[in-house]
Amino acid sequence: MIKFFLMVNKQGQTRLSKYYEHVEINKRTLLETEVIKSCLSRSSEQCSFIEYKDFKLIYRQYAALFIVVGVNDTENEMAIYEFIHNFVEVLDDYFSRDLFPSPFSKDKVKFTLPHIMKMLRSCSPQELKTKGGIMGLKQEYILNDR
């Protein structure tokens, strides 16, 4: 089960956070600081899966942006790793390689995340790549906004 989703820049600033379990605000700040420090301190040759306290961190780096997902021990790391990539693919097509080009775009990213989470829970990784999966979501966002 996914516990949280973070988008962080290379300076360690959280650009987006979504929690799927209740975490008090002051504890979120501490958790994000520790998680970000754990991910940013690793080299590109190291594994993108980290055992952290009572859960796992799965992260990917895209240019100056890190996407970190915290999951429980029973979650499939490779499925989450692929989920992160699918999420970035949708954002890449939607924003044409410019994440958060305006202050209003952050809301669109927050809107996209639950749709992809729903697909992740209801489809296998192969189904996500079919026309009704990620491609369908790309079409929905790109055609409806342009």
Side-chain angles (χ1 to χ4, degrees), residues 50-66:
I50 304 171
E51 294 286 333
Y52 180 80
K53 294 188 179 180
D54 61 338
F55 52 90
K56 299 176 196 173
L57 301 174
I58 295 107
Y59 72 93
R60 286 186 89 152
Q61 181 180 1
Y62 293 91
L65 189 68
F66 283 81

Side-chain angles (χ1 to χ4, degrees), residues 109-124:
V109 174
K110 282 186 175 185
F111 181 75
T112 306
L113 181 59
H115 290 285
I116 296 177
M117 292 292 283
K118 183 179 176 184
M119 276 193 226
L120 177 70
R121 291 186 178 125
S122 63
C123 301
S124 71

Side-chain angles (χ1 to χ4, degrees), residues 2-45:
I2 294 176
K3 295 181 177 238
F4 60 84
F5 182 95
L6 302 173
M7 291 178 78
V8 180
N9 65 17
K10 274 190 173 179
Q11 289 76 36
Q13 300 166 322
T14 302
R15 301 290 300 271
L16 175 80
S17 65
K18 175 73 177 164
Y19 287 83
Y20 297 96
E21 290 182 353
H22 176 72
V23 178
E24 295 175 20
I25 298 295
N26 58 347
K27 290 184 180 179
R28 283 184 188 190
T29 306
L30 180 61
L31 174 69
E32 288 177 20
T33 302
E34 291 174 358
V35 164
I36 291 165
K37 199 178 295 183
S38 296
C39 294
L40 291 177
S41 66
R42 296 173 66 87
S43 73
S44 59
E45 290 85 34

Side-chain angles (χ1 to χ4, degrees), residues 119 123-138:
M119 276 193 226
C123 301
S124 71
Q126 288 300 328
E127 290 172 317
L128 283 174
K129 292 184 177 184
T130 64
K131 188 174 181 181
I134 292 299
M135 294 306 292
L137 190 60
K138 286 180 186 178

Side-chain angles (χ1 to χ4, degrees), residues 36-117:
I36 291 165
K37 199 178 295 183
S38 296
C39 294
L40 291 177
S41 66
R42 296 173 66 87
S43 73
S44 59
E45 290 85 34
Q46 290 181 292
C47 180
S48 295
F49 310 143
I50 304 171
E51 294 286 333
Y52 180 80
K53 294 188 179 180
D54 61 338
F55 52 90
K56 299 176 196 173
L57 301 174
I58 295 107
Y59 72 93
R60 286 186 89 152
Q61 181 180 1
Y62 293 91
L65 189 68
F66 283 81
I67 298 180
V68 184
V69 180
V71 299
N72 64 9
D73 289 335
T74 62
E75 193 68 56
N76 181 334
E77 293 100 339
M78 288 307 292
I80 299 300
Y81 196 71
E82 183 69 16
F83 157 72
I84 294 169
H85 182 70
N86 288 333
F87 180 71
V88 170
E89 264 187 19
V90 171
L91 296 181
D92 186 44
D93 283 354
Y94 187 66
F95 293 114
S96 301
R97 303 200 182 282
D98 188 16
L99 291 179
F100 305 132
S102 74
F104 304 106
S105 299
K106 191 171 182 177
D107 292 333
K108 292 177 183 177
V109 174
K110 282 186 175 185
F111 181 75
T112 306
L113 181 59
H115 290 285
I116 296 177
M117 292 292 283

